[in-house]
């Protein structure tokens, strides 16, 4: 049995293997705060969501498949949580049950497998009941296939047969086996037999019998070896069945945890009366971006109050240069773009009223950082080194987010370095968002048709609205506003 809630035709695995640059994404886009609100201290949800976010999907069909499943999950969160809680309870009972699987101790393996199968059958029945009561409400391919599978594979006849066989295997008054006599009068072909329900006592009432003396250790050991020969095949089958069901419940718990995490995050966002929406993906060759009321999710979760969103309609652009007043929301806007890209490409909702975006083959950040404390290099050398590493991993139609890059040197040198790197990235099919206060760098692209200029809005009295407006760069970042605010008041 397969869950197939994350992919249509394959399982989702938590490998803890993340692509290059994942550490920078976590830090620069403040993803840890988002992951904490997804997981709510549930380790499985945390690991699954981190795996999904940092390993984005590159096919539109895969994104839409998850989106459809997520829309069902958000519409019926109590059902999804009920399914997830069943898998969590299954794992708790599995860990609490005494379990010893070893082919060197067949009797222990046999009884442990029977005990675990009893737990799994009970939990499978609970899953089937959820499917029976809720299947009509679900419309996504993933959840409908899962619920239909639970109904088809776990019929009433299946449970009746499984419970009957487990009851036979749990008998504490001995094991019913058969064997034949070999050519040298040795026992051969030992087989575990089912107990007959009716009249079996008459059949064996007058049969020959042999009772082992209480202190006959060698006789007891001999009988136990014969029993183990009889239960060997059944033990193998029981162990395989147990491993199969354990794998199914683990896989189902893992894949459901992604949707439970999304439900948790959606509830948190809605509590602050901020919008969420399912984004519309474009092919990676597309150069259009359309957003309405896009906001920084991490900032919302930190402030615990409404934050400012931004709008943009950009057609056939590859470079976005964001300039304007200091502390005007430029970096916040850049983070919101990165967060939305990662969330959208793992099949999640985004924090916007609406969002249309192109699939990107890689997502990288190059944000300004503190100077090397070990004094092994200067700040500029460190920035150049990080950019060189990013370039080594870039693929066509990737996305690079630059935040005050190469500003550690003077205006002329920083603008020259930044301009050459940005131009090279664009020429090689890379989409770039660049926040900068380097006027020479920004103004060098004013005649380029592939550039979309945004500027942090500042009112005449110096008030920052934290809105990005479509406008070409100015030669000032209005640092005097901050001076007056800090030193003159």
């Amino acid at each position: 049995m397969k869950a197939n809630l994350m992919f249509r035709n394959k399982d989702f695995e938590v490998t803890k293997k993340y692509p290059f640059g994942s550490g920078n994404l976590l830090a620069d886009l403040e993803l840890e705060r988002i992951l904490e609100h997804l997981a709510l201290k549930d380790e499985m949800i945390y690991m699954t969501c981190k795996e999904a976010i940092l390993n984005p999907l590159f096919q539109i069909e895969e994104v839409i498949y998850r989106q459809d499943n997520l829309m069902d999950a958000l519409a019926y969160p109590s059902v999804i949580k009920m399914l997830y809680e069943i898998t969590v309870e299954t794992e708790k009972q599995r860990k609490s049950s005494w379990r010893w699987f070893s082919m060197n101790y067949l009797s222990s393996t046999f009884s442990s497998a029977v005990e675990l199968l009893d737990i799994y059958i009970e939990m499978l029945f609970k899953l089937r009941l959820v499917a029976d009561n809720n299947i009509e409400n679900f419309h996504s391919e993933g959840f409908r296939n899962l619920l239909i599978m639970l109904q088809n594979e776990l019929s009433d006849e299946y449970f009746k047969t499984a419970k009957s066989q487990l009851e036979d295997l749990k008998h504490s008054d001995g094991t019913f086996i058969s064997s034949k006599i070999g050519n040298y009068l040795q026992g051969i072909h030992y087989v575990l037999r089912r107990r007959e329900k009716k009249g079996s006592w008459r059949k064996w009432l007058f049969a020959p019998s042999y009772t082992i003396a209480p202190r006959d250790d060698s006789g007891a050991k001999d009988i136990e070896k014969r029993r183990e020969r009889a239960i060997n095949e059944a033990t193998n089958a029981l162990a395989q069945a147990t491993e199969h069901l354990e794998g199914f419940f683990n896989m189902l718990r893992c894949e459901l945890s992604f949707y439970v995490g999304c439900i948790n995050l959606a509830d948190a966002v809605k509590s602050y009366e901020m919008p969420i929406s399912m984004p519309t993906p474009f092919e990676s060759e597309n150069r259009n971006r359309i957003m309405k009321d896009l906001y920084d999710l991490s900032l919302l979760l930190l402030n615990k109050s409404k934050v400012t969103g931004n709008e943009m309609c950009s057609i056939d652009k590859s470079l976005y240069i964001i300039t304007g007043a200091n502390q005007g929301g430029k970096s916040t806007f850049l983070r919101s773009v990165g967060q939305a890209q990662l969330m959208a490409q793992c099949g999640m909702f985004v924090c916007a009223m609406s969002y249309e975006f192109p699939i990107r083959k890689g997502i990288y950040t190059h944000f300004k950082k503190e100077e090397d404390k070990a004094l092994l290099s200067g700040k500029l050398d460190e920035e150049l080194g990080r950019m060189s590493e990013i370039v080594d991993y870039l693929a066509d139609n990737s996305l690079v987010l630059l935040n005050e890059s190469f500003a550690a040197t003077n205006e002329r040198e920083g603008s020259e370095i930044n301009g050459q790197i940005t131009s090279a990235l664009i020429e090689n099919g890379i989409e770039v968002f660049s926040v900068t206060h380097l006027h020479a760098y920004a103004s060098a692209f004013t005649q380029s048709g592939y550039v979309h200029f945004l500027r942090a809005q500042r009112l005449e009295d110096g008030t920052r609205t934290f809105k990005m407006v479509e406008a070409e760069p100015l030669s000032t970042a209005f640092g005097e506003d901050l001076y007056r605010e800090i030193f003159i008041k």
Side-chain angles (χ1 to χ4, degrees):
M1 296 191 296
K2 300 288 185 179
N4 290 344
L5 293 175
M6 297 292 278
F7 294 99
R8 181 176 280 109
N9 298 313
K10 62 180 180 179
D11 297 338
F12 178 86
E13 296 183 36
V14 176
T15 64
K16 297 185 179 180
K17 296 179 181 179
Y18 310 115
F20 169 80
S22 296
N24 287 331
L25 290 174
L26 284 167
D28 296 337
L29 303 181
E30 300 180 0
L31 298 179
E32 279 294 345
R33 187 175 294 116
I34 297 173
L35 288 169
E36 288 173 4
H37 283 77
L38 283 160
L40 297 181
K41 299 183 179 181
D42 186 308
E43 185 65 21
M44 174 59 75
I45 297 177
Y46 179 90
M47 292 190 300
T48 301
C49 290
K50 183 177 181 180
E51 184 86 20
I53 290 173
L54 294 179
N55 289 281
L57 304 171
F58 301 133
Q59 302 297 324
I60 287 182
E61 294 77 12
E62 292 180 339
V63 172
I64 294 176
Y65 181 77
R66 272 191 210 169
Q67 285 182 346
D68 290 344
N69 294 338
L70 179 54
M71 284 191 284
D72 261 353
L74 294 176
Y76 300 98
S78 61
V79 179
I80 306 305
K81 289 183 177 181
M82 194 184 308
L83 290 170
Y84 183 66
E85 285 303 318
I86 291 172
T87 65
V88 171
E89 179 62 27
T90 303
E91 180 63 9
K92 288 180 180 178
Q93 291 198 31
R94 183 192 70 82
K95 287 183 176 180
S96 65
S97 67
W98 184 75
R99 181 186 180 191
W100 188 6
F101 279 4
S102 171
M103 289 302 109
N104 295 324
Y105 301 93
L106 285 178
S107 294
S108 298
T109 301
F110 181 87
S111 58
S112 296
V114 171
E115 182 181 352
L116 281 176
L117 283 174
D118 204 30
I119 293 171
Y120 289 139
I121 293 301
E122 178 186 353
M123 294 304 173
L124 286 173
F125 185 69
K126 290 183 178 181
L127 290 177
R128 221 288 301 280
L129 287 179
V130 175
D132 290 343
N133 295 330
N134 297 279
I135 190 169
E136 296 302 324
N137 296 326
F138 286 79
H139 305 285
S140 63
E141 180 180 346
F143 277 108
R144 279 199 64 81
N145 285 345
L146 171 65
L147 299 179
I148 290 172
M149 179 198 70
L150 291 175
Q151 286 186 321
N152 292 342
E153 297 290 334
L154 306 175
S155 63
D156 291 339
E157 184 61 30
Y158 167 84
F159 286 112
K160 180 180 178 181
T161 302
K163 289 178 179 180
S164 173
Q165 292 178 351
L166 285 175
E167 285 300 316
D168 283 344
L169 296 172
K170 286 191 291 185
H171 273 294
S172 59
D173 57 345
T175 304
F176 189 35
I177 65 176
S178 67
S179 67
K180 295 182 179 179
I181 298 176
N183 294 332
Y184 301 98
L185 301 180
Q186 82 279 25
I188 60 172
H189 301 159
Y190 286 89
V191 178
L192 179 66
R193 297 292 182 180
R194 291 195 65 179
R195 296 170 180 267
E196 297 179 26
K197 298 297 182 181
K198 296 181 179 180
S200 59
W201 63 275
R202 296 189 184 93
K203 184 175 182 180
W204 305 107
L205 181 62
F206 302 105
S209 64
Y210 177 76
T211 302
I212 299 174
R215 297 184 179 182
D216 187 356
D217 293 339
S218 61
K221 289 180 180 178
D222 180 74
I223 292 295
E224 180 61 24
K225 287 181 180 179
R226 296 175 190 273
R227 177 180 181 273
E228 289 190 349
R229 289 173 67 181
I231 66 173
N232 180 60
E233 186 175 346
T235 301
N236 287 332
L238 289 169
Q240 290 177 13
T242 301
E243 290 176 3
H244 170 74
L245 288 173
E246 180 181 341
F248 169 72
F249 275 101
N250 286 340
M251 174 182 58
L252 183 59
R253 182 163 65 103
C254 175
E255 299 196 12
L256 282 170
S257 69
F258 172 79
Y259 297 98
V260 174
C262 291
I263 292 168
N264 293 339
L265 185 60
D267 288 343
V269 172
K270 290 175 182 177
S271 69
Y272 304 121
E273 299 180 344
M274 293 295 289
I276 61 173
S277 63
M278 286 297 172
T280 301
F282 301 136
E283 294 291 348
S284 58
E285 294 77 13
N286 193 288
R287 289 291 181 266
N288 300 339
R289 281 188 179 271
I290 304 170
M291 61 186 73
K292 183 178 181 181
D293 204 13
L294 176 70
Y295 58 92
D296 181 349
L297 174 57
S298 179
L299 182 62
L300 172 71
L301 299 174
L302 176 65
N303 290 349
K304 299 181 179 179
S305 60
K306 286 187 175 183
V307 295
T308 302
N310 281 284
E311 299 182 9
M312 185 179 76
C313 181
S314 181
I315 306 299
D316 199 25
K317 304 294 182 183
S318 300
L319 174 60
Y320 300 82
I321 295 182
I322 304 106
T323 62
N326 289 323
Q327 295 189 359
K330 302 186 297 296
S331 296
T332 299
F333 171 71
L334 191 66
R335 278 197 304 272
S336 70
V337 171
Q339 293 166 6
Q341 190 74 32
L342 287 170
M343 292 172 70
Q345 276 192 234
C346 77
M348 290 178 64
F349 56 80
V350 295
C351 293
M353 188 73 72
S354 63
Y355 192 72
E356 300 177 40
F357 73 103
I359 295 288
R360 289 289 164 249
K361 299 299 184 181
I363 303 163
Y364 305 93
T365 56
H366 188 277
F367 283 34
K368 63 179 179 180
K369 298 187 183 299
E370 296 300 321
E371 194 163 355
D372 187 353
K373 294 181 180 180
L375 301 177
L376 298 177
S377 63
K379 200 169 183 180
L380 180 59
D381 288 340
E382 186 273 335
E383 287 193 83
L384 288 169
R386 279 193 289 126
M387 179 54 71
S388 178
E389 290 180 335
I390 291 173
V391 169
D392 290 340
Y393 286 89
L394 282 177
D396 289 345
N397 300 313
S398 290
L399 170 65
V400 176
L401 307 177
L402 307 176
N403 189 17
E404 301 288 7
S405 297
F406 311 109
T409 184
N410 59 66
E411 165 89 14
R412 183 184 61 81
E413 186 177 27
S415 295
E416 183 66 23
I417 295 172
N418 217 349
Q420 289 187 22
I421 290 175
T422 300
S423 295
L425 292 173
I426 298 302
E427 289 170 5
N428 285 275
I430 308 301
E431 183 183 32
V432 177
F433 278 75
S434 180
V435 168
T436 184
H437 69 265
L438 298 173
H439 179 67
Y441 158 65
S443 60
F445 291 95
T446 54
Q447 302 303 314
S448 302
Y450 54 78
V451 183
H452 189 107
F453 285 103
L454 294 169
R455 193 166 72 213
Q457 188 178 50
R458 171 188 177 273
L459 303 182
E460 290 185 3
D461 63 357
T463 300
R464 272 68 167 163
T465 66
F466 306 110
K467 284 280 191 181
M468 300 301 114
V469 296
E470 188 171 346
E472 292 189 358
L474 299 175
S475 58
T476 177
F478 298 100
E480 66 272 15
D481 293 342
L482 300 180
Y483 176 83
R484 284 194 297 269
E485 181 180 343
I486 295 172
F487 297 105
I488 297 180
K489 280 187 176 181

